[in-house]
Amino acid sequence: MSETKQYTYSDVAEHTSKKDVYMVIHDKVYNASSFVDEHPGGEEVLLDVGGQDATEAFEDVGHSDEAREILGGMLIGDLKREAGDPAPKTATTSAVNAGPKSSTDAAGLGMGVYALILVGGALAFFAYQYLQSNQQKS
């Protein structure tokens, strides 16, 4: 049984061009060079995270099972962590907690805006009624 190849962050960081782009997702190293032109989100998405940890970006999008299969075909090795490397970006701390929380926050903000409009409309209506009744008394 052969061991998988190990890459350091400095190894991965050397591969950031369109024809040669590596990225780290969940401490696995992927060579996405062959997929840059086919990526549904456009090549910029991959190039923006090329040579670095793309775990958060990958998980935030919510990729399909098919996308995860394609990703598996690009696996070239494991990340070998060294002193001074950035902390791992895990789905537990970023994607799982941020995903539902951010959508809840957005929903809460949307409801707040509707409530504000409703209260503002009611205040305007009652102010109009009050002014009309005062004008009729005069």
Side-chain angles (χ1 to χ4, degrees):
M1 190 168 166
S2 65
E3 281 190 37
T4 59
K5 184 164 181 177
Q6 295 206 333
Y7 296 85
T8 64
Y9 265 115
S10 58
D11 294 333
V12 173
E14 294 173 3
H15 302 271
T16 59
S17 70
K18 181 178 175 178
K19 296 188 184 295
D20 181 35
V21 62
Y22 287 10
M23 62 190 62
V24 176
I25 300 175
H26 297 294
D27 285 351
K28 302 283 186 196
V29 179
Y30 298 92
N31 181 349
S33 306
S34 62
F35 191 64
V36 171
D37 291 329
E38 287 85 31
H39 188 262
E43 66 184 42
E44 298 83 20
V45 175
L46 295 179
L47 296 176
D48 283 346
V49 294
Q52 52 190 307
D53 191 336
T55 303
E56 190 172 359
F58 182 81
E59 293 298 343
D60 282 352
V61 172
H63 284 92
S64 66
D65 291 338
E66 182 182 3
R68 292 177 188 279
E69 279 182 39
I70 293 169
L71 181 67
M74 295 186 283
L75 179 66
I76 57 172
D78 293 321
L79 180 67
K80 179 181 176 187
R81 293 197 169 273
E82 296 179 335
D85 284 349
K89 295 181 180 177
T90 61
T92 306
T93 58
S94 60
V96 172
N97 292 338
K101 184 176 184 275
S102 61
S103 64
T104 303
D105 290 347
L109 179 63
M111 292 301 291
V113 170
Y114 285 124
L116 184 63
I117 291 171
L118 182 64
V119 169
L123 285 173
F125 173 77
F126 288 117
Y128 177 77
Q129 292 296 326
Y130 175 77
L131 291 173
Q132 287 298 321
S133 69
N134 278 348
Q135 196 173 30
Q136 287 175 357
K137 288 180 187 176
S138 303

